[in-house]
């Protein structure tokens, strides 16, 4: 069960690009997520905005552009932008926002302060993301996040598989980030089985990986 808001209930305002607005009063993040999921899936819009007025925080989903933006009207104000390579990441981003607001999305991907930086090639964004990670804990968290998005554990329990069944052109940013992080952590990458889909990455099980991925399962 989701942790209740305290104090609660909490109010959010959902707005779509066509001007449709819907205000909800919810007791916990799961209730907020269910309400927003219905709002999001019930229309075709270029933008969807979630506004937490008391916290002065906003999450903006832009499916047509493949972008998520988060805004906090603090002192000083701050904003950050993220390129989304797969459409199934919009609703999880909303859940993180409902749970912990602006900072709840810190580890959701590589955020940029300037929207123009999102125009870089996926491989460049992924490599830049990996270059910012300098500790084992952060590297393990990022590897586990990538695995949780698109991976599974081989039935033999000997390998963690990344980018399950994806074409080589899918997940290009995460793929570019994953390989240097595997090397940084000293994880053992193994040859991909002949029957595996193009683009899959197989890594031998490691106790650190098992523990971290369990937190994301």
């Amino acid at each position: 069960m989701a942790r209740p808001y305290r104090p609660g209930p909490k109010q959010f305002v959902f707005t779509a690009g066509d001007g449709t607005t819907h205000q909800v009063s919810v007791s916990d993040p799961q209730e907020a997520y269910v309400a927003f999921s219905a709002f999001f899936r019930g229309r075709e819009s270029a933008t969807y905005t979630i506004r937490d007025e008391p916290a002065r925080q906003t999450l903006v989903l832009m499916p047509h552009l493949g972008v998520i933006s988060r805004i906090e009207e603090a002192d000083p104000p701050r904003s950050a932008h993220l390129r989304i390579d797969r459409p199934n990441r919009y609703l999880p981003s909303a859940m993180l926002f409902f749970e912990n607001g602006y900072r709840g999305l810190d580890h959701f991907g590589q955020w940029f302060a300037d929207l123009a930086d999102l125009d870089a090639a996926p491989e460049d964004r992924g490599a830049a993301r990996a270059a910012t990670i300098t500790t084992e804990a952060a590297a393990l968290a990022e590897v586990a996040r990538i695995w949780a998005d698109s991976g599974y554990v081989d039935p033999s329990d000997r390998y963690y598989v990344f980018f399950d069944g994806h074409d080589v052109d899918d997940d290009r940013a995460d793929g570019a980030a994953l390989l240097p992080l595997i090397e940084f952590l000293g994880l053992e990458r193994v040859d991909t089985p002949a029957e595996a889909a193009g683009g899959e990455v197989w890594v031998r099980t490691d106790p650190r990986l098992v523990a971290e991925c369990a937190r994301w399962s």
Side-chain angles (χ1 to χ4, degrees):
M1 178 178 291
R3 174 171 46 87
Y5 290 126
R6 302 202 184 279
K10 189 167 182 147
Q11 285 75 43
F12 293 96
V13 177
F14 309 150
T15 305
D18 61 5
T20 304
T21 298
H22 180 56
Q23 183 169 343
V24 297
S25 179
V26 292
S27 59
D28 59 52
Q30 183 63 36
E31 188 178 350
Y33 175 81
V34 170
F36 180 71
S37 294
F39 182 82
F40 182 83
R41 291 176 171 142
R43 56 185 39 82
E44 180 70 25
S45 179
T47 62
Y48 300 84
T49 300
I50 303 170
R51 175 73 178 168
D52 181 346
E53 189 64 45
R56 301 173 67 194
Q57 295 181 350
T58 302
L59 183 70
V60 184
L61 312 182
M62 295 171 269
H64 289 191
L65 295 178
V67 172
I68 292 175
S69 296
R70 54 178 178 159
I71 303 161
E72 183 173 48
E73 298 168 21
D75 187 17
R78 56 178 178 162
S79 61
H81 314 280
L82 175 69
R83 175 70 69 189
I84 295 297
D85 296 321
R86 295 190 307 279
N88 63 354
R89 301 198 71 203
Y90 291 104
L91 288 176
S93 76
M95 185 62 184
L96 292 174
F97 185 76
F98 291 134
E99 289 178 329
N100 288 299
Y102 186 101
R103 67 182 179 85
L105 290 121
D106 284 351
H107 303 295
F108 194 64
Q110 185 181 17
W111 295 91
F112 292 91
D114 192 334
L115 268 169
D117 291 333
L118 298 183
D119 292 334
E123 292 82 359
D124 292 339
R125 287 188 280 111
R129 168 70 174 166
T132 66
I133 297 174
T134 58
T135 67
E136 179 176 290
L140 281 169
E142 182 65 2
V143 168
R145 178 195 68 77
I146 294 170
W147 174 82
D149 278 347
S150 61
Y152 69 97
V153 179
D154 175 68
S156 71
D157 284 334
R158 293 185 297 164
Y159 307 106
Y160 275 68
V161 181
F162 297 79
F163 313 126
D164 172 31
H166 287 207
D167 186 80
V168 68
D169 287 333
D170 291 342
D171 305 294
R172 289 158 57 196
D174 279 349
L178 177 65
L179 299 184
L181 293 176
I182 288 173
E183 183 176 357
F184 174 77
L185 290 168
L187 299 173
E188 182 184 352
R189 184 181 177 185
V190 300
D191 291 339
T192 305
E195 67 274 13
E200 289 188 357
V201 175
W202 288 53
V203 174
R204 193 174 301 278
T205 300
D206 179 281
R208 297 169 298 164
L209 195 58
V210 172
E212 187 65 30
C213 286
R215 297 175 53 202
W216 292 76
S217 299

